[in-house]
Each structure stands twice: as structure tokens, then as C-alpha cells.
């Protein structure tokens, strides 16, 4: 299993638009167990992404896909870059209840 969490720094005033694009700009994610986009109400520029994949290879294939490259091109103007990125070793838990393009509200 491949899992990670990262914080993307949005350009000023674009946090919510970046978060929305990262949720609604994603369609098929073969091998993805969890993809969760979150914001901290007390942080005006940070967007957090938590991901879990069945394997490193599945994650690498998704990152290399045309759809993912197109998503990165769309969100690039909204972001400064990654301010934190942590690769993790999952030990258990529950997969996301949200599917691609669905939100908590």
C-alpha cells in the first residue's frame, strides 16, 4: 500500500477554488483507496490531500496519466506548490466514504 498526506499552498485568495478543483477535477483513479481533500478553517492558503493506493505502481500510473497531467495544468495557476509532503506506511483504518467528485456537504 502507498499512502501520503500533503499540504499544497494556494496563491492568495485561491484556497477554496484550488480545493474545489482538486475534488471535482478528478474522475477515474484506478487503485485509489482513499483520496480526501480538506481545508483548515484557520489556514487561508493551505489545502491538505490524504491518499491511499493499493500499490506504489498504481499511484505512479495515475500520476503519469494524461488526465492527471491535465489536472495539474489546470490547478497550477492556483497554487504556490507543496509546503509539506509525507509518505506514510498505513497500518489500518477505513477507506473514504466520498467518491471522486463528491463532497461532504
Amino acid at each position: 500500500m502507498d499512502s501520503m498526506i500533503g499540504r499544497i499552498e494556494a496563491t492568495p485568495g485561491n484556497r477554496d477554488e484550488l480545493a474545489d478543483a482538486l475534488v471535482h477535477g478528478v474522475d477515474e483513479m484506478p487503485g485509489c483507496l482513499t483520496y480526501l481533500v480538506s481545508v483548515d478553517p484557520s489556514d487561508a492558503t493551505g489545502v491538505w490531500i490524504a491518499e491511499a493506493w493499493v500499490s506504489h505502481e498504481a499511484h505512479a500510473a495515475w500520476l503519469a496519466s494524461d488526465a492527471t497531467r491535465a489536472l495539474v495544468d489546470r490547478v497550477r495557476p492556483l497554487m504556490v506548490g507543496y509546503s509539506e509532503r509525507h509518505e506514510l506506511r498505513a497500518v489500518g483504518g477505513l477507506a473514504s466514504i466520498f467518491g471522486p467528485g463528491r463532497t461532504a456537504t
Side-chain angles (χ1 to χ4, degrees), residues 22-23 26 29 32-37 49-52 62 71 96:
L22 291 169
V23 169
V26 174
M29 298 175 79
C32 183
L33 301 171
T34 299
Y35 176 79
L36 181 63
V37 178
I49 301 177
E51 301 176 44
W62 180 74
L71 172 63
S96 175

Side-chain angles (χ1 to χ4, degrees), residues 1 4-5 11 15 21 46 60 98 101:
M1 181 181 289
M4 71 231 35
I5 188 167
T11 53
R15 183 200 67 185
F98 308 114

Side-chain angles (χ1 to χ4, degrees), residues 13-87:
N14 287 316
R15 183 200 67 185
D16 293 343
E17 185 177 352
L18 175 60
D20 186 64
L22 291 169
V23 169
H24 294 99
V26 174
D27 291 320
E28 296 297 316
M29 298 175 79
C32 183
L33 301 171
T34 299
Y35 176 79
L36 181 63
V37 178
S38 303
V39 296
D40 176 348
S42 67
D43 178 359
T45 60
V47 176
W48 288 88
I49 301 177
E51 301 176 44
W53 295 83
V54 295
S55 67
H56 176 76
E57 293 77 18
H59 185 216
W62 180 74
L63 289 173
S65 73
D66 290 341
T68 302
R69 280 184 267 163
L71 172 63
V72 170
D73 288 344
R74 283 193 309 275
V75 300
R76 192 179 319 273
L78 303 174
M79 58 186 277
V80 174
Y82 275 92
S83 61
E84 292 185 52
R85 186 175 191 282
H86 306 278
E87 294 192 23

